[in-house]
Amino acid sequence: MDNFDFTITNLHYVVDLLSRSSVNVQPTQESVSQNGYVLSLTTHGSTNYYISDNHYSVSKGDILFFPKDLPRKKILGESDQWRHIIVRFNVQFGGDADQAALESLKPVFKNIDQTRSGLLFQELLQAWVGKQPGYWIRCRSRIMDILHLLIIDSLEHKTSHLQMVESLLELMYANEQKFFSIAELSREIGISPSYLCLIFKKTTGLTVIEYQNRIKIGKASDLLRSGEYNITAVAERLGFKDIYYFSRLFKKMMGTPPSYIMKKL
């Protein structure tokens, strides 16, 4: 599954720009800036963009998103004008998978809620220009809100396989005490057990059993840290009939036994 654990660490600029000429970005090795990204909202006019040799027609309301040094070309005619709010920032990721997930988003977004996206970009621009106390928090918040819009738009266009797997994950999360068999899950979505195993592993990177264990041990860790449950109560709540098996699995997945968390409370 896609992960999106990241934080905005630096904001270079937010500017309302009127472009009148073509631009060709072909970065050299020395110019590459790690984890630098660009967001842009078209507010007037249109342009033709070539991003990694793919052509996009960009017009009012469209949002661009890509790594700063991604090869790209913007082509404007002599009388063309393209106005857009452009943002450049850096990102710190929770892990490599998070970076891969963010960079897997398409570079051009159309049909995004223009009222919502336009307001977010305008608030971002105003906060950046005004630089009132707390402006950095407001800017970072608006960038995260914009990226969330793009992520949700991408998720809404998932394949049927991914939608099937997500329905099973929702079932697992909603029934924390139950251990589902592959046969039960395959009947739930109407496919064969062997095909379920194939698409589940391809989609999540884990087997059905591994994913269920990850959900349960993740919840177990949170419950123990809350201080409201002891180890036996947590194991029972999550459907483990053998507390020793639960403790061994917890240590295998978390690196420490559940008793270690209890001692730190």
Side-chain angles (χ1 to χ4, degrees):
M1 298 297 293
D2 289 342
N3 297 310
F4 296 97
D5 180 15
F6 58 85
T7 303
I8 309 301
T9 57
N10 194 20
L11 181 53
H12 299 275
Y13 56 74
V14 183
V15 60
D16 186 358
L17 190 64
L18 181 61
S19 299
R20 297 186 177 90
S21 59
S22 300
V23 173
N24 187 8
V25 177
Q26 296 292 337
T28 63
Q29 185 62 36
E30 291 75 17
S31 72
V32 173
S33 176
Q34 187 176 4
N35 297 341
Y37 295 89
V38 172
L39 271 169
S40 171
L41 171 70
T42 298
T43 58
H44 177 77
S46 62
T47 187
N48 288 296
Y49 240 103
Y50 290 85
I51 302 174
S52 296
D53 296 325
N54 294 313
H55 172 254
Y56 302 91
S57 178
V58 180
S59 55
K60 183 178 179 180
D62 294 345
I63 297 175
L64 298 173
F65 172 68
F66 43 73
K68 180 182 75 69
D69 294 298
L70 185 71
R72 59 193 184 276
K73 181 186 296 184
K74 177 185 66 183
I75 299 178
L76 285 169
E78 291 184 2
S79 61
D80 292 339
Q81 291 186 350
W82 178 50
R83 188 163 187 167
H84 57 128
I85 299 173
I86 184 170
V87 188
R88 186 161 77 83
F89 55 95
N90 288 83
V91 173
Q92 179 179 335
F93 295 96
D96 291 342
D98 304 303
Q99 182 171 353
L102 188 65
E103 294 185 357
S104 70
L105 298 180
K106 58 190 178 183
V108 179
F109 289 80
K110 297 178 176 289
N111 303 317
I112 296 284
D113 183 345
Q114 292 189 19
T115 301
R116 174 67 172 153
S117 61
L119 180 61
L120 288 172
F121 271 93
Q122 288 294 339
E123 289 180 348
L124 172 58
L125 178 62
Q126 290 169 10
W128 175 257
V129 172
K131 289 185 170 53
Q132 296 297 310
Y135 81 94
W136 166 234
I137 296 174
R138 187 173 180 85
C139 288
R140 182 164 55 184
S141 172
R142 294 304 175 267
I143 293 173
M144 294 292 280
D145 284 339
I146 293 165
L147 291 174
H148 185 254
L149 280 181
L150 305 189
I151 290 168
I152 293 301
D153 182 79
S154 297
L155 296 180
E156 289 175 349
H157 295 88
K158 288 181 175 179
T159 66
S160 59
H161 286 175
L162 196 49
Q163 291 171 348
M164 285 191 290
V165 171
E166 286 197 325
S167 69
L168 296 181
L169 299 185
E170 290 175 3
L171 187 66
M172 294 177 189
Y173 280 109
N175 296 272
E176 61 181 22
Q177 193 172 28
K178 183 173 177 57
F179 283 88
F180 289 95
S181 69
I182 293 174
E184 288 174 317
L185 294 175
S186 63
R187 287 196 297 269
E188 184 72 25
I189 56 176
I191 62 175
S192 69
S194 60
Y195 190 49
L196 167 62
C197 291
L198 177 66
I199 67 171
F200 195 96
K201 181 65 179 290
K202 183 177 180 180
T203 301
T204 67
L206 300 172
T207 67
V208 170
I209 293 175
E210 288 171 340
Y211 205 100
Q212 286 190 92
N213 286 339
R214 188 169 81 168
I215 291 174
K216 289 178 180 292
I217 296 303
K219 285 190 174 183
S221 178
D222 291 337
L223 290 171
L224 289 172
R225 292 177 193 280
S226 74
E228 299 293 325
Y229 294 80
N230 60 32
I231 297 172
T232 300
V234 168
E236 290 177 351
R237 171 170 168 169
L238 297 175
F240 290 92
K241 294 181 172 53
D242 185 340
I243 190 172
Y244 299 104
Y245 170 71
F246 165 74
S247 296
R248 290 196 302 272
L249 181 63
F250 190 100
K251 183 177 181 180
K252 178 181 178 181
M253 297 185 67
M254 303 300 291
T256 59
S259 57
Y260 178 78
I261 294 179
M262 301 296 295
K263 290 178 183 178
K264 294 188 68 175
L265 295 177

